[in-house]
């Protein structure tokens, strides 16, 4: 790294910082219950609910901090928070 | 839509600021420039040399974001880029309601074409939950703690949207993280309105308010459902739209979820205080006609 | 180098007079400098302005203590301000008044000259604006600037009819002084 | 080289110092000007707003802000967005900007802001001294002092050149003494647009706020990088030393006027007594020196033009043969009880072979006039030091004992 004048940063460069390690509980989808409403994707504060080609979603465990908002807000209880096994 | 706020930021799990910034950028799109004052959002998204921002973004100081934004807007105008690129501020309640109010007042009086989004989590969270002008009545913070002879913050929340309305802003709205689509629509409306516009977003903070990280949206929703946080839109000084509540919930439902109000349920006389808070909610109902 | 001090009241255009004098002197091929006594005086209060005229570029930036010439825009100032203060013995004090110099009691060795600039201004311009008129008299009294240069400076500053009238008044005041000169 | 001016009288006209500065700003083609009124800087921004009202500054926005704090803050945003930016202030206004001053230099934004040097309250006083800008010396701004209004105007163009140089990228504060220079009328050359266009290239910063290349400005630096940020800022100041000289030399080539680069010297070569000073006092000192020289007295002048970066090497070279060094300061560092320039001069002579005594005189506080007699009196004391050594290292001048 070389410091640029004034400390200018490149966009979206926090992607190098894998915050998945912060997690205590991990969200796990039950695709049988999921209705693809996209609420989990919308509400995720860590942008770690990623759409799949089939319309379902998956968790980006590199970044998910395990806050549980997705599970709490899921209208179909399709997301379960499971204790991380370290 | 590509997320214009990237993962890897250092916000707490369940962070309201990250959600607010994400929704704001969903409304604004790529062709904008964002100014942020000092605060949680700034610190957690830009630890040098990293940045979470996918749009051009600048931080200068705590109290000058609106002035910086007015300079950005003026520069775009002078250099012929103003028509398409939108200038936004995303700042916290301390930076907006307290220390930055002079520069906001100036920028709004001058009529710059900017949209200011206040992410109001009702205290100085970046420095450890100190009281701000946005802290509600009876909330316990580290500088307005509840104690043997105090129920916490003894002043009502400063009515910042009304102050902005008094500046002649053509569009002022209140929004909540619990209603992201409504919030995105309002921010888009603000951006599309020429002149200085303002959206004040109620943003529960898991750390500062003391609730589980999974409850950010739930607490936000309860604030609306109890009428603690009225949602409305004001165009050119007139209320044009109000978010109606089907059935007003008692404020206890909202208060009991949060550590900052815990003393109201344990201290003698707390029930009287809760009545006062209920009165605040009921006044909101009356003032804005919140009940269907 | 010659130093000029102009006394007036706030609103009488003392600073403008100092500036126009500097403009005229420069037009004559000399160097000049004009500045106000920097104060917080409001309209009506006694004020001063200064001009320096020399043959070399002027570097000195202190105030004027021993003027060669003094211009007094308003004889009522004689009661409240020591207009002769510091003036060189061989200096000239030019005062706007209807009275002749011998009627004025001023403790100075400097020469006193008077001109009824207010009357000239009222007769020609129609308003009692004396700052420019006095510069015409100053040109006559001191020979430091040409009256034409004063007139040109004033006409440039106040284009159109106002400037023309002023120029006429300047010429008149110049003539009055030249006639009064021994 | 000592200051030289081709006196092109046909190009000169009698204008106010503030007007000459405002005109210089205009021909530098600024994109954003912000202004908050404060005496005695007001004439500059009033003249600029008249230029705007008359449509004489193309591609420019003029922001009437609600405070000096916002005046400079607005320029932070504008400069980061790629605009050439200008403001002017003084005294309380400058002090109100204190926090923003650090921010601007840390963000390496090449803002130019004229300071009409004025005393600082309390007691409130609108007149000239240099306490205001001197008190901002550690904010990371290049700080230059003009001796007359022509230099103050010319310094605006030089400031943009220095500030925007990619090896520098630091804000510049061209300083002019309040009233003494800002409100004086004298014959001056108004900067010619074609020559300025030749002298000052357009502002083309490498990094700008641009949605097509969405970079982040003003990130948060923790202890792992903050030191390096400060180091690079210091290096840029070092680089500015040569750029200040370069800007002055090239200005001379294009316009035929030179006032010194980092410093200027006057009758200095064989001088036994060297007066060191900044700002509008220079002219009066030169007049005094001419009189003394005509009597055969070896008195000279070292004009410090660039106070930041401080020209240590140039000062050492200029003072190497002096027998007494006399520093004039229109400011005071309370508690040290001497002026900042005096402290700097002493500091830069330490660890050298120069062991001439340095004496400091604090003059002209809050507009107290400095006539030639005061300078003569100071030189009398310097002669005493030459013959019998220092008794007082630093002192006030012209204190009215009867009031104390």
């Amino acid at each position: 790294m070389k410091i640029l004048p004034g400390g200018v940063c490149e966009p979206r460069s926090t992607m190098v910082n894998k915050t998945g390690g912060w997690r205590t509980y991990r969200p796990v989808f039950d695709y049988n219950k999921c209705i693809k409403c996209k609420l989990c994707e919308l509400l995720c504060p860590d942008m770690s609910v990623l759409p799949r080609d089939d319309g379902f979603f998956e968790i980006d465990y590199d970044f998910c901090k395990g806050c549980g908002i997705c599970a709490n807000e899921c209208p179909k209880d399709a997301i379960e928070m499971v204790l991380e096994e370290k | 839509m590509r997320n214009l706020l990237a993962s890897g930021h250092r916000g707490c799990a369940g962070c309201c600021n990250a959600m607010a910034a994400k929704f704001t950028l969903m409304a604004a799109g790529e062709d904008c420039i964002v100014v942020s004052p000092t605060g949680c959002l700034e610190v957690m998204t830009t630890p040098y040399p990293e940045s979470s921002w996918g749009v051009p973004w600048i931080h200068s100081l705590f109290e000058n974001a609106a002035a910086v934004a007015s300079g950005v807007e003026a520069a775009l105008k002078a250099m012929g880029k103003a028509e398409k690129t939108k200038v936004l501020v995303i700042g916290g309640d301390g930076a907006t309601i307290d220390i930055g109010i002079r520069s906001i007042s100036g920028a709004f009086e001058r009529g710059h074409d900017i949209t200011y989004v206040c992410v109001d989590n009702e205290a100085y969270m970046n420095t450890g939950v100190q009281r701000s002008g946005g802290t509600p009545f009876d909330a316990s913070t580290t500088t307005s703690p509840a104690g043997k002879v105090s129920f916490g913050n003894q002043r009502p929340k400063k009515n910042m949207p009304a102050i902005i309305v008094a500046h002649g802003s053509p569009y002022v709205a209140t929004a909540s993280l619990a209603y992201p689509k409504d919030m995105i629509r309002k921010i888009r409306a603000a951006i599309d309105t020429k002149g200085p516009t303002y959206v004040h977003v109620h943003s529960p903070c898991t750390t500062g308010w003391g609730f589980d990280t999974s409850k950010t949206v739930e607490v936000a929703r309860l604030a609306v459902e109890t009428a603690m946080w009225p949602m409305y839109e004001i165009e050119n000084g007139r209320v044009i739209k109000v978010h109606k509540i089907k059935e007003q919930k008692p404020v206890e439902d909202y208060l009991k979820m949060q550590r900052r109000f815990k003393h109201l349920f344990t201290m003698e006389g707390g029930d009287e205080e809760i009545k006062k808070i209920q009165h605040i909610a009921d006044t909101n109902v009356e003032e804005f006609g919140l009940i269907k | 180098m010659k130093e000029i001090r102009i006394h007036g009241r706030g609103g009488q255009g003392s600073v403008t007079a100092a500036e126009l004098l500097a403009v005229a002197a420069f037009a004559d091929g000399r160097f000049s400098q004009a500045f106000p006594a920097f104060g917080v005086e409001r309209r009506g209060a006694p004020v001063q302005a200064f001009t320096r005229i020399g043959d070399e570029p002027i570097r000195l930036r202190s105030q004027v203590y021993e003027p060669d010439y003094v211009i007094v825009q308003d004889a009522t100032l004689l009661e409240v301000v020591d207009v002769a203060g510091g003036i060189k013995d061989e200096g000239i004090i030019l005062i706007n008044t209807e009275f002749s110099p011998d009627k004025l009691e001023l403790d100075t060795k400097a020469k006193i000259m008077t001109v009824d600039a207010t009357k000239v201004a009222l007769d020609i311009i129609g308003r009692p604006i004396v700052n420019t008129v006095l510069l015409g008299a100053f040109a006559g009294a001191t020979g430091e600037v040409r009256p034409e240069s004063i007139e040109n400076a004033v006409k440039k500053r106040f284009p159109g009819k106002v400037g023309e009238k002023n120029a006429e008044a300047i010429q008149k005041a110049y003539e009055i002084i030249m006639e009064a000169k021994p | 080289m000592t200051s030289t001016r081709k006196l092109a009288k046909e190009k000169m006209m009698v204008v106010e110092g503030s007007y000459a500065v405002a005109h210089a700003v205009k021909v530098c083609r600024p994109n954003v000007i912000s202004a908050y009124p404060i005496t005695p800087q007001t004439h500059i921004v009033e003249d600029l707003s008249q230029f705007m009202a008359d449509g004489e500054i193309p591609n420019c926005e003029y922001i009437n802000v609600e405070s000096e704090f916002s005046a400079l803050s607005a320029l932070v945003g504008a400069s980061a967005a790629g605009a050439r930016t200008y403001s002017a202030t003084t005294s309380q206004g400058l002090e109100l900007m204190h926090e923003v001053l650090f921010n601007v230099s840390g963000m390496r934004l090449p803002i130019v802001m004229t300071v009409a040097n004025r005393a600082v309250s309390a007691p409130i006083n609108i007149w000239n001294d240099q306490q205001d800008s001197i008190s901002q010396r550690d904010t990371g701004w290049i700080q230059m002092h003009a001796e007359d209004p022509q230099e103050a105007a010319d310094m605006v163009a030089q400031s943009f050149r220095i500030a925007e140089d990619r090896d520098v990228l630091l804000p510049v504060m061209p300083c002019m003494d309040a009233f003494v220079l800002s409100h004086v009328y004298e014959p001056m050359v108004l900067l010619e647009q074609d020559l300025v266009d030749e002298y000052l290239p357009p502002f083309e910063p490498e990094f700008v706020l641009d949605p097509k290349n969405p970079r982040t400005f003003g990130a948060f630096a923790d202890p792992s990088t903050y030191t390096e940020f400060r180091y690079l800022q210091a290096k840029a100041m070092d680089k500015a030393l040569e750029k200040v000289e370069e800007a002055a030399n090239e200005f001379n080539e294009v316009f035929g006027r030179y006032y010194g680069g980092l410093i200027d010297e006057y009758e200095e070569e064989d001088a036994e007594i060297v007066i060191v000073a900044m700002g509008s006092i220079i002219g009066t000192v030169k007049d005094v020196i001419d009189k003394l020289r005509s009597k055969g007295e070896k008195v000279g002048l070292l004009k410090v033009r660039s106070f930041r970066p401080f020209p240590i090497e140039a000062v050492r070279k200029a003072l190497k043969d002096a027998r007494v060094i006399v520093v004039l300061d229109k400011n005071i560092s309370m508690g040290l009880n001497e002026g900042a320039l005096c402290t700097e001069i002493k500091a830069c002579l330490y660890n050298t072979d120069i062991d001439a005594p340095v004496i400091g005189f604090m003059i002209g506080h809050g507009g107290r006039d400095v006539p030639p007699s005061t300078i003569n009196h100071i030189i009398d004391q310097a002669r005493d030091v030459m013959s019998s050594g220092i008794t007082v290292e630093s002192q006030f001048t012209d204190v009215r004992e009867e009031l104390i």
Side-chain angles (χ1 to χ4, degrees):
Chain A
M1 174 187 56
K2 286 273 184 208
I3 291 173
L4 299 172
V8 170
C9 307
E10 293 302 320
R12 298 174 52 81
S13 45
T14 48
M15 294 296 283
V16 298
N17 182 43
K18 309 290 186 197
T19 51
W22 299 22
R23 208 165 47 237
T24 306
Y25 291 89
R26 63 159 55 205
V28 177
F29 276 105
D30 179 346
Y31 293 115
N32 293 321
K33 292 184 184 170
C34 176
I35 54 165
K36 304 177 182 177
C37 75
K38 302 182 181 178
L39 197 59
C40 52
E41 183 199 23
L42 178 64
L43 295 177
C44 178
D46 289 293
M47 286 59 73
S48 52
V49 179
L50 306 178
R52 301 197 316 200
D53 289 343
D54 60 5
F56 288 110
F57 293 85
E58 64 187 11
I59 303 296
D60 183 346
Y61 293 110
D62 277 352
F63 295 105
C64 169
K65 293 171 186 159
C67 69
I69 289 176
C70 55
N72 196 60
E73 296 303 320
C74 178
K76 294 292 170 191
D77 286 331
I79 303 170
E80 191 186 353
M81 298 305 289
V82 181
L83 192 65
E84 280 285 346
E85 288 174 26
K86 306 247 167 163
Chain B
M1 189 193 306
R2 191 182 90 152
N3 277 316
L4 292 170
L5 189 73
S7 305
H9 64 75
R10 273 71 163 176
C12 299
C15 175
C16 60
N17 268 301
M19 292 174 72
K22 174 184 177 179
F23 299 159
T24 302
L25 294 184
M26 287 171 79
E30 289 184 7
D31 206 354
C32 69
I33 295 171
V34 174
V35 181
S36 284
T38 307
C40 267
L41 182 63
E42 167 253 331
V43 170
M44 75 196 215
T45 57
T46 65
Y48 190 81
E50 295 168 24
S51 169
S52 303
W53 298 86
V55 296
W57 180 92
I58 182 169
H59 158 254
S60 169
L61 296 168
F62 200 3
E63 66 275 47
N64 68 355
V68 172
S70 66
V72 172
E73 185 250 19
L76 294 178
K77 237 186 197 170
M79 299 187 295
K81 299 178 194 165
E83 283 311 305
K84 49 191 195 65
T85 303
K86 304 298 176 187
V87 181
L88 284 89
V89 178
I90 310 177
D93 49 299
T96 304
I97 297 174
D98 290 347
I99 198 168
I101 196 166
R102 176 175 71 196
S103 98
I104 293 171
S105 179
F108 274 69
E109 174 273 318
R110 292 192 298 273
H112 292 278
D113 191 13
I114 58 174
T115 293
Y116 195 111
V117 178
C118 174
V119 181
D120 182 4
N121 54 25
E122 304 190 324
Y124 290 90
M125 301 315 181
N126 192 36
T127 44
V129 202
Q130 293 84 20
R131 175 201 186 274
S132 81
T135 301
F137 179 71
D138 272 356
S140 181
T141 71
T142 55
T143 53
S144 65
K148 284 172 189 152
V149 296
S150 175
F151 287 105
N153 179 46
Q154 287 308 291
R155 295 291 302 156
K157 203 173 161 63
K158 194 196 277 188
N159 190 347
M160 190 66 187
I163 292 169
I164 298 290
V165 169
H167 280 75
S169 168
Y171 184 88
V172 176
T174 57
S176 163
L177 288 186
Y179 301 83
K181 285 181 181 156
D182 177 72
M183 173 177 162
I184 291 167
R185 178 185 65 77
K186 286 169 174 166
I187 291 174
R188 190 65 231 174
I191 289 170
D192 289 340
T193 305
K194 207 166 167 53
T197 54
Y198 183 82
V199 180
H200 195 118
V201 184
H202 195 240
S203 308
C205 167
T206 169
T207 309
W209 297 13
F211 56 79
D212 184 77
T213 58
S214 64
K215 307 289 187 189
T216 304
V217 175
E218 190 177 330
V219 170
R221 190 160 46 239
L222 277 164
V224 174
E225 290 173 345
T226 55
M228 286 298 288
W229 184 247
M231 294 212 293
Y232 52 82
E233 288 169 271
I234 297 177
E235 256 181 31
N236 300 312
R238 281 165 201 257
V239 179
I240 55 156
K241 204 169 173 189
V242 169
H243 175 88
K244 300 276 187 185
I245 307 168
K246 282 191 192 108
E247 203 176 326
Q248 186 188 2
K249 291 184 174 162
V251 294
E252 283 96 328
D253 289 8
Y254 173 62
L255 302 175
K256 73 186 177 198
M257 288 189 73
Q258 307 172 49
R259 191 182 55 234
R260 63 177 178 160
F261 293 116
K262 191 178 168 198
H263 56 285
L264 301 180
F265 299 93
T266 56
M267 282 171 68
E268 198 177 323
D271 46 352
E272 285 304 312
E273 292 302 303
I274 292 171
K275 277 184 197 159
K276 290 180 197 168
I277 296 172
Q278 185 64 54
H279 179 71
I280 294 171
D282 295 346
T283 306
N284 285 336
V285 169
E286 208 172 309
E287 184 179 350
F288 293 99
L290 294 178
I291 308 290
K292 263 185 184 161
Chain C
M1 183 175 68
K2 294 291 169 55
E3 297 183 314
I4 300 113
R5 184 172 70 213
I6 302 174
H7 291 276
R9 293 187 185 276
Q12 283 182 334
S14 301
V15 181
T16 304
E19 177 201 343
L20 291 170
L21 191 51
V23 172
F26 182 67
D28 283 345
R30 307 181 77 194
F31 287 94
S32 56
Q33 181 194 67
F35 56 100
F38 319 121
V40 289
E41 288 83 3
R42 301 306 198 226
R43 189 166 289 270
V47 298
Q48 296 176 24
F50 308 93
T51 305
R52 289 190 171 107
I53 299 173
D55 295 322
E56 296 294 325
I58 295 160
R59 297 183 304 200
L60 183 66
R61 305 237 169 245
S62 64
Q63 287 168 29
V64 170
Y65 295 93
E66 294 173 357
D68 298 274
Y69 307 113
V70 167
I71 299 173
V72 183
Q73 294 215 53
D74 183 343
T76 62
L77 286 164
L78 301 183
E79 320 258 320
V80 287
V81 183
D82 178 14
V83 299
I87 189 161
K88 294 195 175 85
D89 289 350
E90 62 276 20
I92 298 173
I93 305 176
L94 175 67
I95 303 172
N96 170 28
T97 175
E98 61 191 291
F99 299 111
S100 59
D102 56 318
K103 296 277 192 302
L104 301 170
E105 285 175 19
L106 274 177
D107 183 18
T108 180
K109 287 182 182 155
K111 184 172 163 189
I112 300 170
M113 298 183 81
T114 64
V115 61
D116 193 350
T118 305
K119 182 173 186 305
V120 174
L122 285 172
D123 286 352
I124 299 174
I125 306 170
R127 288 169 63 200
I129 302 164
V130 298
N131 59 340
T132 53
V133 181
L134 278 166
L135 294 182
F138 176 83
T142 67
E144 293 289 349
V145 283
R146 296 187 309 129
E148 297 78 23
S149 301
I150 300 278
E151 287 167 31
N152 289 339
V154 170
K155 280 194 277 193
K156 193 167 179 205
R157 176 67 183 265
F158 307 104
K161 207 173 168 193
V162 179
E164 295 293 340
K165 288 280 181 199
N166 268 277
E168 201 183 314
I170 288 163
Q171 182 61 34
K172 178 72 184 167
Y174 175 76
E175 285 162 10
I176 291 171
I177 282 288
M178 290 308 281
E179 280 166 26
K181 262 176 128 174
Chain D
M1 184 159 58
T2 192
S3 72
T4 53
R5 293 176 203 207
K6 281 188 202 135
L7 280 175
K9 286 186 97 171
E10 72 287 352
K11 282 185 172 181
M12 295 170 89
M13 56 192 288
V14 175
V15 294
E16 194 190 36
S18 294
Y19 181 85
V21 168
H23 178 89
V25 173
K26 177 177 85 169
V27 294
C28 285
R29 302 188 186 280
N31 301 116
V32 176
I33 298 166
S34 66
Y36 188 76
I38 178 168
T39 303
Q41 152 272 175
T42 34
H43 288 190
I44 298 173
V45 297
E46 285 171 0
D47 288 338
L48 283 168
S49 58
Q50 189 63 54
F51 291 145
M52 288 298 294
D54 292 336
E56 290 180 21
I57 316 183
N59 306 317
C60 182
E61 286 289 314
Y62 185 104
I63 316 177
N64 279 304
V65 284
E66 82 293 341
S67 67
E68 286 91 355
F69 198 94
S70 285
L72 192 53
S73 297
L75 297 191
V76 167
S79 184
R84 177 172 284 164
T85 53
Y86 178 84
S87 189
T89 192
T90 178
S91 183
Q92 311 305 132
L94 183 64
E95 308 315 323
L96 182 59
M97 290 177 180
H98 183 63
E99 187 191 8
V100 199
L101 294 172
F102 278 102
N103 193 250
V104 169
S105 61
M107 291 179 80
R108 309 291 296 277
L109 298 172
I111 293 167
V112 172
M113 180 171 70
T114 297
V115 172
N117 287 112
R118 171 188 142 181
V120 180
S121 170
I124 191 163
N125 173 295
I126 61 163
W127 292 271
N128 165 240
D129 64 32
Q130 295 167 351
Q131 191 69 55
D132 52 358
S133 65
I134 295 293
S135 301
Q136 304 297 350
R137 69 179 178 180
D138 295 331
T139 55
W141 282 58
I142 292 170
Q143 185 176 135
M144 295 170 70
H145 287 261
E147 74 172 86
D148 63 26
Q150 181 77 67
E151 185 181 8
D154 294 356
M155 205 178 253
V156 170
Q158 295 186 19
S159 296
F160 276 117
R161 242 192 87 138
I162 298 161
E164 292 170 5
D165 190 299
R166 285 201 183 169
D167 291 335
V168 178
L169 287 179
L170 288 172
V172 182
M173 200 182 276
C175 297
M176 65 192 299
D177 281 338
F179 292 113
V180 183
L181 299 186
S182 63
H183 283 51
V184 71
Y185 288 83
E186 61 185 52
M188 279 177 259
V189 181
L190 297 176
L191 285 182
E192 301 90 340
Q193 184 70 67
D194 56 336
L195 296 185
V196 171
D197 289 344
E198 184 187 331
Y199 175 75
L200 179 66
F203 178 41
E204 280 165 2
E206 190 177 356
F207 306 112
V208 291
L209 291 167
D210 177 9
K212 290 195 197 72
N213 199 345
R215 290 196 171 95
T216 286
F217 287 64
F220 164 83
D222 69 14
S224 71
T225 56
Y226 186 80
T227 301
E228 287 67 30
F229 274 103
R230 299 295 276 172
Y231 178 84
L232 288 170
Q233 225 177 312
K235 282 282 146 198
M237 271 288 179
D238 283 348
K239 199 74 191 166
L241 286 167
E242 63 189 77
K243 299 292 180 178
V244 168
E245 293 278 358
E246 194 181 292
N249 291 333
E250 290 188 20
F251 191 90
N252 192 24
E253 281 169 30
V254 177
F255 295 90
R257 291 190 295 276
Y258 180 79
Y259 314 88
L262 295 161
I263 61 164
D264 195 29
E265 295 167 84
Y266 186 76
E267 299 288 354
E268 216 259 328
E269 204 157 291
D270 64 340
E272 294 177 333
I273 297 172
V274 178
I275 297 173
V276 186
M278 303 194 294
S280 65
I281 191 66
I282 298 288
T284 305
V285 172
K286 283 177 177 172
D287 272 11
V288 170
I289 287 174
D290 281 359
K291 286 216 170 104
L292 293 172
R293 281 276 171 183
S294 70
K295 292 187 223 160
E297 294 206 43
K298 291 182 175 176
V299 181
L301 168 75
L302 167 62
K303 161 181 161 182
V304 174
R305 195 163 174 265
S306 172
F307 182 66
R308 282 292 181 275
F310 196 77
I312 297 171
E313 290 307 323
V315 166
R316 284 175 179 163
K317 204 167 151 229
L319 294 178
K320 66 182 190 321
D321 299 322
R323 287 188 56 199
V324 184
I325 297 158
V326 182
V327 189
L328 308 184
D329 266 290
K330 286 188 175 180
N331 70 89
I332 175 172
S333 177
M334 292 291 175
L336 189 56
N337 295 349
E338 68 181 24
L341 186 59
C342 183
T343 307
E344 312 284 25
I345 294 290
K346 286 196 288 186
C348 83
L349 297 184
Y350 201 79
N351 295 336
T352 70
D353 295 336
I354 305 165
D355 64 353
V358 178
I359 50 174
F361 293 87
M362 290 168 285
I363 58 167
H365 296 272
R368 177 70 54 84
D369 193 35
V370 187
S373 57
T374 298
I375 306 295
N376 275 314
H377 179 63
I378 287 170
I379 291 168
D380 289 344
Q381 295 184 65
R383 276 192 214 99
D384 292 346
V385 169
M386 203 151 50
S387 56
S388 44
I390 289 190
T391 50
V392 184
E393 210 169 301
S394 177
Q395 58 189 292
F396 276 85
T397 310
D398 292 343
V399 169
R400 294 177 59 193
E401 298 291 346
E402 75 274 18
L403 298 183
I404 300 165

